[in-house]
Amino acid sequence: MQPIVENAMRHAVATHAHAGRIEITAVARNGCLRIQVKDNGPGLAINQILVNQIGKGVGLSNTKARLERLYGTEHLLELANDPRAGWW
């Protein structure tokens, strides 16, 4: 999680003068663990989401590689903008 939280701090929270917020949640359900990292930054342009989804960012690509080593195909790393942008 550290690289994902670091990305949220660097690219979302630190780029604005207003107070930043990062929320981390973890929920276990039906034998699966879902961890979400959310921030109140401006979000990513769609082309940034597509590039980052395939692992071009260092933090995200390292995280993806670690998940693949640990869990094989039994994991999902997803990057998306919250449709409720500015919800907090």
Side-chain angles (χ1 to χ4, degrees):
M1 268 188 357
Q2 181 269 332
I4 296 170
V5 173
E6 185 177 312
N7 277 353
M9 292 173 65
R10 174 182 280 161
H11 300 293
V13 174
T15 61
H16 297 286
H18 61 74
R21 181 172 172 167
I22 297 173
E23 178 181 289
I24 302 167
T25 59
V27 177
R29 185 176 301 140
N30 299 326
C32 293
L33 177 63
R34 180 179 184 158
I35 301 172
Q36 288 185 304
V37 178
K38 296 181 182 180
D39 62 63
N40 66 342
L44 296 171
I46 190 66
N47 62 331
Q48 288 175 304
I49 291 172
L50 294 174
V51 166
N52 284 320
Q53 286 287 42
I54 58 175
K56 298 297 182 192
V58 173
L60 292 175
S61 62
N62 287 344
T63 301
K64 184 176 179 172
R66 179 176 286 178
L67 289 170
E68 286 174 354
R69 278 193 309 274
L70 291 170
Y71 304 108
T73 60
E74 297 296 314
H75 79 281
L76 173 65
L77 176 61
E78 186 175 56
L79 180 65
N81 285 327
D82 190 325
R84 304 169 298 160
W87 62 277
W88 40 351

